[in-house]
Amino acid sequence: MASRKEELRAKESSRGRRNVLVTAAVAALGGLLFGYDTGIVASAILFIRHDFDLGDFGQGAVVSAVTLGAIIGAPIAGTLADRFGRRRMILIASVIFIVGSVGCAAAPNVEVLVVARVVLGIAVGLASATCPVYIAEVAPVAARGQLVTLFQLAVTVGILVAYLVGLAFESSGGWREMLGLGALPALALGAGMLYMPRSPRWLVMIGERSEARTVLRATREDETEVDDELAEIEATLQQDQGTYRDLLTPAMRAALTVGVGLAILQQITGINTVIYYAPTIVEFAGISSSSSAILASIGVGVVNVAVTVLAIRLLKNHGRRQLLLVGVAGMVLSLVSLGIAFMLGTDSGATAPIAIVSLMVYVASFAMSLGPIFWLLNAEIYPLRVRAKAAGVGTMSNWTFNFIVALTFLPLLAAVGNSAAFFIYAGIGVFTWFFCMLLVPETKDMPLEEIEQEWDRRAGVEPAAAEPPV
Ligand code: BGC
């Protein structure tokens, strides 16, 4: 029979596991809002365009306002998350999400609508820079990959829910309802975060050691490891909080090359051309009925969610690098076959099926690699004293290139033709594969504090933690 002490330990261990899972799931709601608010406009714009009598420019402004807001919000998040803490930052983002959603739903004219969408975008930028970092800092090392990936899972669910809500309101043309509904997950995020703990690593950074210890005790399965973890965090914090200038040291340049490089590559390998233009791509392949277009979007959305769930399972036993290399190879192959499908021309009966299968394989490959793993690495590879700021820079780069790809996709198709455009994305995919192969470190099972030392090693400097305390 288990002794009283063992029973108690088993109870604490399952309580620790449950607490950390709930914390990660609540913070991941920031991802749901990211997916929903970027996804819903594809359906809403069809009716907004009509109500406000918008031309191409007006439609473009409504659609891209969230991305522009995110480019503004992401870098601000770094400074604020250091000053006020990660948890409070997410709370602030949730209030901005609510204000933005209500503003969109009530907008009397297109000007107010665009401003409200920029406000929403600022919240998306704040949340996408902070939620993954918060989860990575609360998570125990063995579960960090899986828990941070809940954020990407929520992004994909948000996109899928947006397609479905768009369908549900299609007959009524209720774009105000579509946009206003985003306030609900925002309320849940805000209310939930009120009960979540502060990041133990941020607490150590501001000198609140005993509260950090309390949080670690509540979120770890094995209490005996809490003091070791705390000591390890403290050992890396022998200097004050970092500034933006600290991002320029050789070690940080090495880390940012990987983080910002992946941020850009995640976008310029073309994922959002498929997420947002799936119906157009299917149409170019020769299928023009509106139900097939809708099915293409829903198919892409379902595959994206399902394979992200699979990625969470795979991350338990496989390294980040392994998933990246396999997934990016799949993206390259499917982009090449998409290019070939378009070369065959719409007269060929083979074009449409090859294009549809290629689209699905492409999304599946992204969902097991660059999708989740960019957000994971962006949250875990930077040293604590500059983590929030560096993650903000990575996030801003991601949104900037998201914007550029969205803007250039249709002109690119017009300029070089459909198949050449997909061959160009495939070429960038090949570059991405070598980038991952040569530069991305394996961080699985490494405590955040050890990852910091990897950059010092790469830059040829003595790891900070090895220096005697000053
Ligand atoms: C990307 C988004 C993309 C989404 C698709 C995210 O990781 O940052 O730009 O729309 O994945 O699932």
Side-chain angles (χ1 to χ4, degrees), residues 34 152 155-156 159 266-267 271-272 275-276 304 366 371 375 398 402:
F34 159 170
Q152 170 71 10
V155 172
T156 63
I159 295 174
Q266 195 213 35
Q267 293 298 321
I271 183 61
N272 287 316
I275 298 286
Y276 300 119
N304 201 6
F366 172 87
W375 291 107
N398 187 263
N402 185 324

Side-chain angles (χ1 to χ4, degrees), residues 197-398:
R198 297 193 276 173
S199 153
R201 287 176 166 79
W202 180 75
L203 286 167
V204 172
M205 191 157 73
I206 59 162
E208 303 241 5
R209 184 179 195 279
S210 80
E211 194 182 335
R213 193 164 187 281
T214 311
V215 175
L216 286 175
R217 286 184 54 162
T219 50
R220 294 298 175 263
E221 288 179 31
D222 189 347
E223 275 209 30
T224 54
E225 287 167 16
V226 166
D227 287 320
D228 290 347
E229 193 172 345
L230 204 53
E232 209 171 340
I233 302 172
E234 284 177 323
T236 58
L237 266 183
Q238 287 151 13
Q239 296 145 299
D240 294 339
Q241 254 182 43
T243 62
Y244 278 102
R245 181 173 281 209
D246 292 315
L247 299 184
L248 299 174
T249 63
M252 275 310 294
R253 280 208 301 266
L256 279 168
T257 304
V258 171
V260 172
L262 277 181
I264 297 173
L265 294 170
Q266 195 213 35
Q267 293 298 321
I268 63 175
T269 37
I271 183 61
N272 287 316
T273 67
V274 169
I275 298 286
Y276 300 119
Y277 292 102
T280 314
I281 297 175
V282 172
E283 199 179 302
F284 285 152
I287 301 178
S288 55
S289 77
S290 64
S291 59
S292 328
I294 291 170
L295 274 180
S297 294
I298 296 200
V300 163
V302 169
V303 169
N304 201 6
V305 172
V307 179
T308 309
V309 172
L310 179 71
I312 293 183
R313 298 187 73 112
L314 291 174
L315 278 164
K316 187 166 168 56
N317 297 316
H318 297 270
R320 284 65 160 149
R321 279 171 57 83
Q322 213 177 350
L323 292 192
L324 272 177
L325 294 175
V326 173
V328 173
M331 288 169 69
V332 170
L333 292 179
S334 49
L335 284 166
V336 169
S337 79
L338 206 52
I340 294 177
F342 283 116
M343 271 169 78
L344 298 175
T346 46
D347 295 340
S348 156
T351 303
I354 300 182
I356 289 174
V357 171
S358 307
L359 273 188
M360 299 304 162
V361 174
Y362 170 80
V363 171
S365 307
F366 172 87
M368 68 174 283
S369 60
L370 277 180
I373 294 177
F374 159 64
W375 291 107
L376 171 56
L377 292 175
N378 192 48
E380 68 180 12
I381 60 173
Y382 303 116
L384 174 56
R385 52 193 292 276
V386 288
R387 182 172 297 135
K389 293 188 176 78
V393 171
T395 306
M396 178 184 69
S397 316
N398 187 263

Side-chain angles (χ1 to χ4, degrees), residues 1-13 224:
M1 223 171 64
S3 71
R4 174 107 185 84
K5 215 166 165 186
E6 277 167 1
E7 261 176 33
L8 212 67
R9 186 167 283 183
K11 217 170 170 181
E12 273 166 5
S13 136
T224 54

